[in-house]
Amino acid sequence: MGRVSIPMKGFVLFCLWAVIAEAEYLKYKDPKQPMVTRIKDLMKRMTLEEKIGQMTQIERKVALPDVMKQYFIGSVLSGGGSVPVPKASAEDWINMVNEIQKGALSTRLGIPMIYGIDAVHGHNNVYNATIFPHNIGLGVTRDPDLVKRIGAATALEVRATGIPYAFAPCIAVCRDPRWGRCYESYSEDHNIVRTMTEIIPGLQGDLPANSRKGVPFVDGKSKVAACAKHFVGDGGTVRGIDENNTVINSNGLFGIHMPAYYDSIIKGVSTVMVSYSSWNGERMHANRDLVTGFLKDRLNFRGFVISDWQGIDRITSPPHANYTYSVQAGVSAGIDMIMVPENYNEFIDTLTLLVKDNIIPMSRIDDAVKRILRVKLTMGLFENPLADLSLVNQLGSQEHRELAREAVRKSLVLLKNGKSTSQPLLPLPKKAPKILVAGTHADNLGYQCGGWTIEWQGVAGNDLTVGTTILSAIKKTVDPSTQVVYQQNPDANFVKSNEFDYAIVVVGEVPYAEMMGDSSNLTITEPGPSTINNVCGAVKCVVIIVSGRPVVLEPYVEKIDAVVAAWLPGTEGQGVADVLFGDYGFTGKLARTWFKSVDQLPMNVGDRNYNPLFPFGFGLTTQAVKMN
């Protein structure tokens, strides 16, 4: 017996070694394994706590590495204006994101977190990023290829800061410009919104041939996961009140507000965000029939569904009145990831208790986690969880600024050109002895960019980021001999006594976002009207409207020689001057109806009593001039 003991020990040691070797081989970490195998392998290793952690998205301010590790947090976000340091560089962002990621990777299973940010018109939270026109201007272009290129440029700038997930695009169909998010909508016409979903392959990459419908896709480290939002009907609320009730029958919901989701899912969108709004009185965050029954089961969407900021809290009125009910209703409806975003203890404890008490079945938790893991694996996050500095030069690159300038040119709509058609004012001559530039918006980069720029509600002034104001662009474009006089709100006597050849007046709305932007009067911000009256009553003038939607214009149109809708053009004001002075022609056509009076609202193309100031599709054109 003693003789065989040594070989027997060796055999036992060999078996132990084999067991250890087997334990070290983790299928979920092997990129050669099929995705379904990797997900299955990881899921069977996860505890309930780890699964609920994956479903939890928290704000970066509370996402300390220890928190990430202790609670197995699956996702982190920056809210509007939430930055590592003021005017943070790409390197500052990367260092912050990587620090948080290291906390996630230090957990038992090392599941990487996914960091998300609102990049809704470029990488708009970030200093020195290229800020593209808001969607309302892009809809005017009718140019899906342009929007796809904007998506690709935005993806590069987002990745330049170490972030792999953008909460964009907003595919709302805004049916009432009184809504504070109307500028986030491409058009009142769902057909235009559908074509603009081409931004999704710009952000994520083109789907491989023969891809299965509904399967998420992200093509590597230069692309980001996209998010179609806000599901569904957010642009149709009564009187345009944000987060309100969309009262419409099924034909209306599925005919107007749903079609862009079909296209988004066919194009492989990775995530869908649920709307704060209700449909016929039922909160979308609690609408199981639409979130699970339609989006997941009928449309076969295989990515994950994410709530909006404190979206489940707002299932009740007032918000957070019955949080246990809210968590149950939201998760049961089919929401996979909850944008908590700060009080994560309460969410995790509540959901854990609901599962342990068999109120929410484990199958619902597993469905959510599989979807989240599918997106993370598709993106290559397990293989490349940490960002590097290889793309930092993409942030605010000259190439992207030129693209934004092109977008500005194509998004301008010429509403009037001359007191009579035989005497057009535009294009303006570059060579003139003396011209006047006036208006609150002529030299204000923050006003040009609007809401969702650096801060959630936007910022006034020229210190928010890097860009070109319309005034700077005008000065750069006119002949060196032309004297440009800028006065924000000149009186009529000043205008008359100075013998200006012509005036450019730039006025509009001040920045806003979401509910803060809801407006029942839709007026040009003071002193805009008085500037129009003082200047345009005394000299030939073109008025440029910088706004997130059509505004009241009818009282002023008669006395103005030319009117341009510039929407919210972003950082590249040079695009406005390019067209004003004839280097390029005006080509934009209204993607929204321009009302005469707010009493007519809501009014959309195709309505029975359609009597607008400027109809949907309207836009005068000019030709580029070689010399002027």
Side-chain angles (χ1 to χ4, degrees), residues 115-363:
Y115 197 106
I117 197 163
D118 287 284
V120 296
H121 62 137
H123 199 7
N124 48 263
N125 239 21
V126 175
Y127 183 78
N128 197 35
T130 309
I131 306 298
F132 293 92
H134 268 298
N135 289 354
I136 190 168
L138 297 181
V140 159
T141 70
R142 312 289 205 279
D143 189 343
D145 175 68
L146 172 69
V147 170
K148 183 178 181 180
R149 287 184 284 137
I150 288 170
T154 300
L156 283 169
E157 297 210 10
V158 172
R159 281 287 194 168
T161 57
I163 296 171
Y165 179 22
F167 304 129
C170 178
I171 53 172
V173 183
C174 174
R175 303 290 285 174
D176 192 324
R178 290 174 291 189
W179 186 37
R181 300 193 85 140
C182 201
Y183 63 75
E184 297 185 56
S185 168
Y186 294 107
S187 179
E188 71 193 42
D189 177 8
H190 70 271
N191 290 308
I192 290 177
V193 178
R194 293 186 76 169
T195 65
M196 293 301 162
T197 60
E198 201 54 19
I199 194 171
I200 291 167
L203 289 163
Q204 296 192 155
D206 288 307
L207 273 176
N210 305 319
S211 267
R212 281 173 53 216
K213 182 194 161 203
V215 175
F217 177 71
V218 181
D219 190 16
K221 292 200 287 183
S222 64
K223 297 294 182 180
V224 295
C227 180
K229 65 184 191 183
H230 308 86
F231 186 83
V232 60
D234 50 342
T237 58
V238 174
R239 295 187 301 282
I241 297 169
D242 193 40
E243 304 183 18
N244 201 26
N245 192 20
T246 297
V247 179
I248 195 169
N249 62 22
S250 293
N251 287 345
L253 187 82
F254 288 95
I256 295 170
H257 298 284
M258 191 68 81
Y261 286 94
Y262 308 151
D263 299 83
S264 299
I265 289 162
I266 287 166
K267 291 172 183 178
V269 75
S270 295
T271 72
V272 170
M273 186 183 292
V274 183
S275 177
Y276 287 129
S277 58
S278 304
W279 178 38
N280 296 337
E282 184 177 357
R283 285 280 180 196
M284 280 306 311
H285 272 74
N287 193 319
R288 190 179 188 282
D289 288 342
L290 285 176
V291 176
T292 294
F294 192 78
L295 178 64
K296 290 182 172 181
D297 295 345
R298 182 87 177 274
L299 298 186
N300 205 31
F301 173 61
R302 312 307 287 165
F304 68 79
V305 176
I306 186 169
S307 82
D308 209 331
W309 179 283
Q310 293 180 339
I312 60 167
D313 302 51
R314 301 190 209 186
I315 288 171
T316 59
S317 184
H320 208 81
N322 184 342
Y323 193 63
T324 301
Y325 167 74
S326 291
V327 173
Q328 180 189 341
V331 174
S332 298
I335 300 172
D336 304 309
M337 184 179 283
I338 309 298
M339 194 183 291
V340 177
E342 292 179 12
N343 195 357
Y344 52 87
N345 287 103
E346 184 184 24
F347 169 71
I348 289 168
D349 291 348
T350 303
L351 182 53
T352 302
L353 197 62
L354 286 166
V355 176
K356 287 184 173 174
D357 288 348
N358 296 316
I359 295 166
I360 292 179
M362 200 65 205
S363 58

Side-chain angles (χ1 to χ4, degrees), residues 306-563:
I306 186 169
S307 82
D308 209 331
W309 179 283
Q310 293 180 339
I312 60 167
D313 302 51
R314 301 190 209 186
I315 288 171
T316 59
S317 184
H320 208 81
N322 184 342
Y323 193 63
T324 301
Y325 167 74
S326 291
V327 173
Q328 180 189 341
V331 174
S332 298
I335 300 172
D336 304 309
M337 184 179 283
I338 309 298
M339 194 183 291
V340 177
E342 292 179 12
N343 195 357
Y344 52 87
N345 287 103
E346 184 184 24
F347 169 71
I348 289 168
D349 291 348
T350 303
L351 182 53
T352 302
L353 197 62
L354 286 166
V355 176
K356 287 184 173 174
D357 288 348
N358 296 316
I359 295 166
I360 292 179
M362 200 65 205
S363 58
R364 172 73 273 272
I365 302 299
D366 286 346
D367 171 59
V369 178
K370 281 176 191 170
R371 289 168 176 276
I372 292 163
L373 295 177
R374 183 179 293 127
V375 171
K376 290 182 176 184
L377 286 163
T378 298
M379 298 171 70
L381 261 186
F382 279 78
E383 286 70 58
N384 295 292
L386 295 172
D388 58 42
L389 301 176
S390 60
L391 293 173
V392 293
N393 63 341
Q394 296 289 338
L395 188 69
S397 73
Q398 193 53 43
E399 185 183 349
H400 297 164
R401 292 185 183 278
E402 287 301 324
L403 175 61
R405 183 174 169 181
E406 176 191 346
V408 174
R409 291 196 293 263
K410 291 180 174 177
S411 66
L412 303 174
V413 182
L414 182 55
L415 299 173
K416 181 179 180 181
N417 192 14
K419 293 276 173 70
S420 68
T421 51
S422 61
Q423 290 184 301
L425 180 61
L426 301 175
L428 297 169
K430 291 179 182 176
K431 199 165 188 173
K434 192 178 185 184
I435 66 172
L436 172 66
V437 180
T440 47
H441 290 56
D443 191 33
N444 197 309
L445 195 60
Y447 284 3
Q448 271 175 222
C449 292
W452 289 112
T453 309
I454 304 302
E455 297 283 350
W456 173 40
Q457 293 291 325
V459 186
N462 292 332
D463 190 43
L464 72 162
T465 192
V466 177
T468 304
T469 68
I470 293 169
L471 175 64
S472 303
I474 291 166
K475 288 178 174 177
K476 193 174 173 183
T477 305
V478 296
D479 190 88
S481 66
T482 299
Q483 184 185 354
V484 179
V485 175
Y486 171 59
Q487 195 161 118
Q488 194 166 290
N489 187 24
D491 62 33
N493 290 331
F494 174 83
V495 181
K496 285 172 184 166
S497 63
N498 263 279
E499 297 184 352
F500 293 109
D501 291 81
Y502 57 82
I504 301 168
V505 177
V506 193
V507 293
E509 296 185 298
V510 297
Y512 54 81
E514 298 188 64
M515 72 287 287
M516 312 290 190
D518 288 355
S519 171
S520 57
N521 56 28
L522 296 178
T523 51
I524 293 169
T525 305
E526 290 292 348
S530 62
T531 307
I532 291 171
N533 288 327
N534 291 345
V535 175
C536 297
V539 66
K540 280 189 298 186
C541 76
V542 53
V543 173
I544 299 169
I545 308 294
V546 175
S547 67
R549 52 202 163 185
V551 289
V552 174
L553 262 188
E554 193 179 34
Y556 322 113
V557 170
E558 276 304 306
K559 67 184 64 162
I560 299 170
D561 295 274
V563 183

